[in-house]
Amino acid sequence: MKKGNGGGRRMRKQELLQKIVEFLQSHNKQSFNYKQISFGIGLESTASRFDVLNSLDELVAADDILEVDLGKYKAKSNRGVENVGYFVRRSNGKNAVVVDDEMIMVAERNSMHALNGDKVRVVVSAARKGQDPEARVIEIVEAKDQQFVGTIKIDKNYAALVTDSKFLAADIIISRSKLKGGKNGDKAVARITQWKDDEMNPRGEIIDILGTKGENNAEMHAILAEFGLPYRYPENVEKAADRIDAGITPEEVARREDFRGVTTFTIDPRDAKDFDDALSIRQLANGNWEVGVHIADVTHYVHPGSVIDKEAQKRATSVYLVDRTIPMLPERLSNGICSLRPDEEKLTFSAIFELDAKANVLNSRIGRTVIRSDRRFTYEEAQEIIEKGEGDFARELTTLNTLAKELRRRRYQQGALEFDRAEVRFEIDETGKPVSVYFKESKDANKLIEEFMLLANLTVAESVGKVPKGKKAKTFVYRVHDNPDPEKIGNLAIIASRFGYKLVTDGSTREVNKSVNRLLRDVKGKGEENMLSILAIRSMAKAIYTTDNVGHYGLAMPYYTHFTSPIRRYPDMMVHRLLARYASQGSRSADKLKTEEECKHDSEMEQLAANAERASIRYKQVEFMRDRLGEIYDGVISGVTEWGFYVELTESMCEGLVPIRDLADDYYDFDEKNYCLIGRRHGVRYTLGDQVKVQVARADLDRKQLDFALIDDKGNPNRPLEARKPGKRHEPRHKRRRNK
């Protein structure tokens, strides 16, 4: 905002009103208080600020501007004018259009049956007093290509796909000639071919039959299809992979640094087949250690523009569901040619480090190599050797572990965040049914691999991004993590202070992150641990791929990329190609715009894959708990919304909803800022992090949702108002003394 002239003079009323409106319209996506507006139009005296405050009240009363929050003002959108935005369809009928970051409601009668994500042209009507504005779709500018997953229902008179979609309330009518052999009860994928204005239901055709509803393969494929992710590999791509020559010629070896005689091994999960990274270690004559981080040289075999490359580019990532991996590359490459299997010569792209006994990096180099892995360790096997100090390559493993611990200590000292939350995993039987739950925890063997991968990624990013002063860095793919939302960090600090913790919210990244780490350590084992750790995670931004390097906040690294997993991530393949390109002297920088577009696609696909993984976990959680209906468990409130609160069970980390409609003892309001529900009559609070006892009430596999019933200390469900004793105050279970 620029300071205007005449900070001391008072404006005439009409001039002042006009200046305020013009200022708000020029910053139409933001809201301001009266002091900010005064400064923005160049009025700084106390008297002038009072004039601004009075004028704002007058403009709001005249409906010329909006008071979006107490004391916060914003320009009104241009009503009655055509705008272009993106349609948001919801199965609950609350449709909307997003125009310039503003969400405007659209009644179904005014939607032209636009689908979720369609680009539409709308006319926004002026809001009536006391009501929100509404929009009317007048044109579908660009229809988004989409498909719907559901269950085929065949009656005497019609056939339909009953959709699982949260974006479509209506069933899709399917002509019997377009069922593609589907039977009643089959899980299937369909697309909409027509939706007339005067019809309640769209018409469509079946694209693919996934299998019988409830059958594990069908349900897992349905999850992938729901997110638009592929669940089969194209035959022509598989055939292209089969034609690749896996042989390594003497000429190719001669072009590379040879590590075949150096102790090398992989450490991976016990069920892994795609080993894309290996570590080598040897002691140098000067007593220092040479550690090699060797990564599968995928781009030696997959060339730009080939059918395999195009398919990998489209997929962007491997997808990891509860019971399977959907690989980015054909299995011949991912599990065969490129996988760094023991006792096989493999081509690699490597980052080589010379470290002293205190893990200081004295020298490093990046280049293409050839290796021969001596041993394939599982994390459990490596952990046992580290703990006992004996077994295969015990000296090498313990040395690497010592170096990794020092690297990690320094990283945390520099301000890297320490989120260390256990992940839920399921033991699955041969039919895909979950039979037990276990927790995946990160131990020294996991952290050893993580630390050297981080070092390699940092070094590779620095090799391109860190240039002498006055020189411009060439286009590169960075993995960035922006600063956290200041408002969310502020809320975390306020809530943490209620429990007696002080959180630094201003200052350098290092100072803020060290403060967050101290908070996470201090809450360990305490009742508020879950609540504050969840809020800390939610205050963070999402990491993305981009050509614009802003550093990695969570890792406290000014340069960072993804170089270490090209078998399962396309950005890593891009990084390998850029490294090879820039290794040639005089090579020009890659096209920034084209690279940025690919980065955006990769970030979006990564998010879709993560959503699909979470959906598969939710499905297995519901399937696991379905056999435990009526059982009572301890849990912690993990989320609070206007429709109820979510509880994570302590025993299994399965999460379910306690619907607000089932809290029959009071009428509850949602306090968004304090993450709690508050009873109107009795002031009972249900807050993020509270310990509660719940009963498994419903398990809906179609919606992938568990519903819990809240249980009191005596094992009784939450009671309705009429069952209360007059004058008795009900308090949350964790704040109430137990009867002895």
Side-chain angles (χ1 to χ4, degrees):
M1 291 183 289
K2 289 184 180 178
K3 184 177 172 182
N5 297 319
R9 80 174 177 89
R10 296 175 74 173
M11 290 185 186
R12 292 181 179 178
K13 184 178 178 181
Q14 282 307 119
E15 182 188 1
L16 179 57
L17 292 172
Q18 186 179 343
K19 286 276 187 187
I20 291 171
V21 172
E22 286 174 355
F23 172 78
L24 291 176
Q25 284 177 344
S26 67
H27 302 84
N28 64 343
K29 292 183 182 179
Q30 297 169 264
S31 59
F32 302 90
N33 62 34
Y34 81 97
K35 289 182 181 177
Q36 292 168 320
I37 294 168
S38 300
F39 180 80
I41 62 176
L43 299 177
E44 296 180 32
S45 70
T46 303
S48 294
R49 286 184 175 182
F50 275 119
D51 290 344
V52 169
L53 190 57
N54 291 330
S55 298
L56 287 166
D57 288 340
E58 191 174 324
L59 288 166
V60 170
D63 204 26
D64 290 331
I65 64 171
L66 298 172
E67 187 173 13
V68 292
D69 204 351
L70 188 62
K72 299 280 277 187
Y73 303 90
K74 185 180 179 184
K76 290 193 72 173
S77 300
N78 290 326
R79 307 301 181 198
V81 177
E82 290 185 11
N83 287 284
V84 173
Y86 287 90
F87 196 78
V88 179
R89 177 171 287 279
R90 290 286 182 266
S91 59
N92 61 8
K94 294 182 178 179
N95 303 331
V97 64
V98 178
V99 177
D100 292 334
D101 296 330
E102 183 181 1
M103 188 169 277
I104 306 165
M105 301 308 294
V106 180
E108 182 60 39
R109 66 181 180 279
N110 295 326
S111 71
M112 285 186 69
H113 295 319
L115 297 177
N116 191 64
D118 284 355
K119 190 175 183 179
V120 295
R121 191 180 306 281
V122 296
V123 172
V124 181
S125 62
R128 297 176 187 173
K129 196 163 186 178
Q131 293 183 330
D132 292 327
E134 284 193 17
R136 176 170 55 87
V137 178
I138 57 172
E139 181 190 359
I140 297 174
V141 178
E142 190 179 313
K144 184 183 177 185
D145 185 31
Q146 52 194 299
Q147 55 193 29
F148 297 91
V149 179
T151 306
I152 293 176
K153 181 180 179 183
I154 301 176
D155 270 345
K156 288 180 182 178
N157 302 320
Y158 76 99
L161 185 86
V162 181
T163 67
D164 299 341
S165 175
K166 61 184 177 184
F167 302 123
L168 186 67
D171 297 342
I172 302 172
I173 304 300
I174 310 288
S175 163
R176 288 177 184 268
S177 63
K178 295 183 178 179
L179 284 171
K180 208 172 183 179
K183 303 183 294 295
N184 198 47
D186 277 353
K187 203 86 178 182
V189 185
R191 71 180 184 90
I192 292 173
T193 56
Q194 185 184 52
W195 196 350
K196 294 181 179 177
D197 289 344
D198 58 347
E199 291 183 337
M200 294 286 290
N201 295 78
R203 297 176 183 273
E205 61 184 5
I206 299 297
I207 299 169
D208 197 10
I209 305 297
L210 302 175
T212 306
K213 181 179 179 179
E215 188 268 323
N216 187 61
N217 274 338
E219 295 296 344
M220 292 300 106
H221 286 168
I223 287 170
L224 292 165
E226 176 190 348
F227 291 98
L229 296 168
Y231 45 89
R232 293 193 186 96
Y233 227 94
E235 195 175 331
N236 66 322
V237 182
E238 296 276 15
K239 286 180 177 176
D242 290 339
R243 291 193 294 268
I244 291 176
D245 183 1
I248 301 174
T249 64
E251 292 78 16
E252 185 58 42
V253 170
R255 286 192 283 268
R256 296 168 178 259
E257 191 172 352
D258 194 343
F259 277 81
R260 289 176 295 180
V262 182
T263 299
T264 304
F265 42 75
T266 60
I267 308 176
D268 289 281
R270 60 176 180 260
D271 57 350
K273 294 175 183 174
D274 53 344
F275 314 135
D276 52 10
D277 58 79
L279 292 178
S280 69
I281 181 169
R282 61 181 166 189
Q283 193 162 26
L284 301 174
N286 60 8
N288 292 333
W289 294 96
E290 182 190 76
V291 177
V293 179
H294 305 286
I295 308 302
D297 192 357
V298 173
T299 56
H300 175 80
Y301 299 101
V302 181
H303 304 297
S306 65
V307 291
I308 298 173
D309 183 59
K310 286 178 180 176
E311 184 66 23
Q313 188 177 34
K314 187 169 70 174
R315 292 175 179 237
T317 180
S318 293
V319 183
Y320 295 88
L321 302 188
V322 165
D323 66 337
R324 68 193 64 200
T325 299
I326 296 85
M328 180 182 77
L329 296 169
E331 284 195 19
R332 174 166 160 77
L333 283 167
S334 60
N335 295 355
I337 295 172
C338 295
S339 187
L340 308 183
R341 300 184 298 199
D343 302 319
E344 295 180 14
E345 292 184 355
K346 297 288 180 178
L347 301 181
T348 45
F349 216 137
S350 306
I352 316 298
F353 304 95
E354 181 184 346
L355 299 100
D356 63 19
K358 293 184 178 178
N360 295 304
V361 178
L362 306 177
N363 291 296
S364 66
R365 62 188 186 278
I366 301 162
R368 282 181 147 137
T369 55
V370 57
I371 68 164
R372 184 183 179 90
S373 175
D374 298 290
R375 173 78 149 80
R376 183 258 159 135
F377 287 106
T378 65
Y379 281 120
E380 293 78 10
E381 289 168 341
Q383 184 65 32
E384 188 177 357
I385 292 168
I386 288 169
E387 289 173 2
K388 291 182 177 178
E390 56 185 42
D392 291 352
F393 304 110
R395 181 170 180 254
E396 289 84 353
L397 277 169
T398 52
T399 300
L400 284 169
N401 187 49
T402 301
L403 293 170
K405 282 187 170 179
E406 182 57 27
L407 287 169
R408 187 161 62 252
R409 185 194 67 76
R410 281 209 301 270
R411 192 162 56 82
Y412 288 148
Q413 191 178 46
Q414 289 161 7
L417 288 168
E418 290 183 70
F419 291 118
D420 194 14
R421 191 165 155 81
E423 296 177 41
V424 65
R425 291 288 184 268
F426 293 94
E427 291 285 354
I428 307 286
D429 68 14
E430 63 279 359
T431 66
K433 184 177 179 181
V435 292
S436 65
V437 176
Y438 66 94
F439 301 117
K440 179 187 169 188
E441 293 188 70
S442 189
K443 295 188 177 180
D444 282 347
N446 306 75
K447 292 174 181 177
L448 180 162
I449 292 296
E450 178 188 26
E451 216 54 54
F452 283 105
M453 298 306 121
L454 289 173
L455 180 61
N457 288 333
L458 165 68
T459 305
V460 166
E462 283 183 336
S463 74
V464 177
K466 203 172 183 180
V467 294
K469 225 173 186 180
K471 294 253 182 174
K472 190 178 178 184
K474 293 180 177 179
T475 297
F476 200 57
V477 175
Y478 296 98
R479 177 70 167 178
V480 306
H481 184 223
D482 211 344
N483 291 353
D485 184 322
E487 188 176 349
K488 289 180 180 178
I489 280 282
N491 285 345
L492 173 63
I494 291 167
I495 292 170
S497 69
R498 293 173 190 163
F499 294 94
Y501 304 106
K502 183 173 174 58
L503 183 67
V504 174
T505 57
D506 295 317
S508 68
T509 295
R510 181 177 175 179
E511 290 167 335
V512 174
N513 284 9
K514 285 180 86 170
S515 180
V516 172
N517 287 341
R518 187 165 54 249
L519 172 67
L520 295 173
R521 284 194 298 271
D522 290 346
V523 300
K524 279 284 182 191
K526 297 179 182 172
E528 60 270 18
E529 177 186 358
N530 208 62
M531 174 190 187
L532 294 177
S533 61
I534 288 170
L535 286 179
I537 292 168
R538 290 178 184 172
S539 68
M540 297 296 142
K542 283 187 173 70
I544 61 167
Y545 298 106
T546 179
T547 55
D548 296 318
N549 181 42
V550 296
H552 198 294
Y553 179 87
L555 295 172
M557 291 181 179
Y559 300 91
Y560 192 69
T561 190
H562 273 171
F563 160 77
T564 54
S565 294
I567 288 177
R568 62 186 181 90
R569 294 187 304 226
Y570 196 79
D572 301 55
M573 288 176 59
M574 294 169 67
V575 165
H576 283 214
R577 285 174 179 157
L578 289 170
L579 285 173
R581 174 184 180 133
Y582 298 152
S584 305
Q585 282 198 347
S587 61
R588 295 178 63 186
S589 181
D591 186 306
K592 184 178 172 69
L593 188 60
K594 186 178 176 184
T595 308
E596 183 61 34
E597 285 174 1
E598 184 57 50
C599 285
K600 185 181 177 185
H601 169 73
D602 293 346
S603 298
E604 289 170 354
M605 293 304 291
E606 177 189 41
Q607 189 59 53
L608 282 178
N611 291 342
E613 181 184 2
R614 283 194 288 270
S616 78
I617 291 170
R618 284 198 304 273
Y619 185 89
K620 290 302 174 189
Q621 285 179 338
V622 176
E623 193 176 12
F624 181 70
M625 298 305 294
R626 190 172 55 169
D627 296 334
R628 292 157 179 79
L629 289 173
E631 293 185 13
I632 294 174
Y633 296 92
D634 289 319
V636 176
I637 295 179
S638 56
V640 184
T641 70
E642 59 188 297
W643 55 84
F645 56 82
Y646 290 90
V647 174
E648 183 182 272
L649 303 184
T650 308
E651 182 182 300
S652 63
M653 286 180 74
C654 291
E655 189 177 60
L657 175 71
V658 176
I660 199 167
R661 65 176 182 272
D662 290 351
L663 296 175
D665 63 337
D666 206 337
Y667 302 98
Y668 286 86
D669 294 314
F670 174 45
D671 182 346
E672 188 175 4
K673 281 199 170 179
N674 293 298
Y675 304 95
C676 65
L677 294 176
I678 306 172
R680 291 184 193 175
R681 295 191 183 184
H682 307 285
V684 175
R685 286 173 178 258
Y686 293 109
T687 306
L688 195 68
D690 282 355
Q691 297 175 31
V692 292
K693 196 179 283 288
V694 293
Q695 184 179 47
V696 183
R698 289 175 288 273
D700 188 333
L701 276 171
D702 288 338
R703 292 166 61 208
K704 305 179 191 69
Q705 184 172 304
L706 285 170
D707 280 357
F708 294 148
L710 196 64
I711 300 295
D712 67 19
D713 286 338
K714 296 177 182 177
N716 300 316
N718 183 277
R719 292 173 299 165
L721 287 168
E722 57 270 21
R724 284 187 165 284
K725 289 184 180 178
K728 186 172 181 181
R729 180 174 172 78
H730 174 71
E731 294 180 6
R733 189 186 72 81
H734 70 289
K735 294 182 181 175
R736 218 164 54 218
R737 291 185 180 177
R738 291 184 178 275
N739 294 325
K740 301 211 176 176

